[in-house]
Amino acid sequence: MKISVAEVEYVARLARLELNKAETDLFAGQMDAILGYVEKLNELDTADIRPTSHAVPVENAFREDATSPSLGVAKALANAPDRADSFYRVPKVIE
């Protein structure tokens, strides 16, 4: 599959990228090489291969919930730029 310069310009416009002529030519060649490799992968027989979402087995690293002391109001608000009593004061965003 050959990627044209017009297609690169179209994708760049969708991504709101300004590309000069050299970049457009460079990306056309790179995208063409990528799609050529994908096309080569399509030649492989994958009928007996199980679909996976990761290349290596991944397991969640869950841990037991454990209680611990909280940060505390004084430490939590120590670097607050503006506060009211024990709360952060922020600019009003809803009218």
Side-chain angles (χ1 to χ4, degrees):
M1 175 176 217
K2 185 72 176 158
I3 297 295
S4 70
V5 171
E7 290 170 315
V8 172
E9 290 170 345
Y10 175 72
V11 172
R13 187 174 57 80
L14 290 175
R16 291 176 168 71
L17 297 174
E18 286 186 36
L19 302 178
N20 60 36
K21 177 73 172 133
E23 291 170 326
T24 304
D25 293 338
L26 173 70
F27 292 144
Q30 289 177 345
M31 290 173 72
D32 191 52
I34 291 167
L35 291 176
Y37 184 73
V38 170
E39 198 58 40
K40 187 172 187 152
L41 290 175
N42 284 335
E43 296 173 7
L44 295 173
D45 179 20
T46 58
D48 296 329
I49 307 296
R50 265 186 38 231
T52 60
S53 60
H54 296 284
V56 295
V58 176
E59 293 183 25
N60 287 330
F62 290 121
R63 62 172 172 73
E64 292 294 321
D65 286 339
T67 59
S68 60
S70 65
L71 189 58
V73 174
K75 278 188 175 179
L77 294 174
N79 293 322
D82 194 8
R83 61 191 265 186
D85 298 321
S86 60
F87 303 100
Y88 288 97
R89 177 174 280 163
V90 296
K92 184 178 180 179
V93 294
I94 300 174
E95 295 192 29

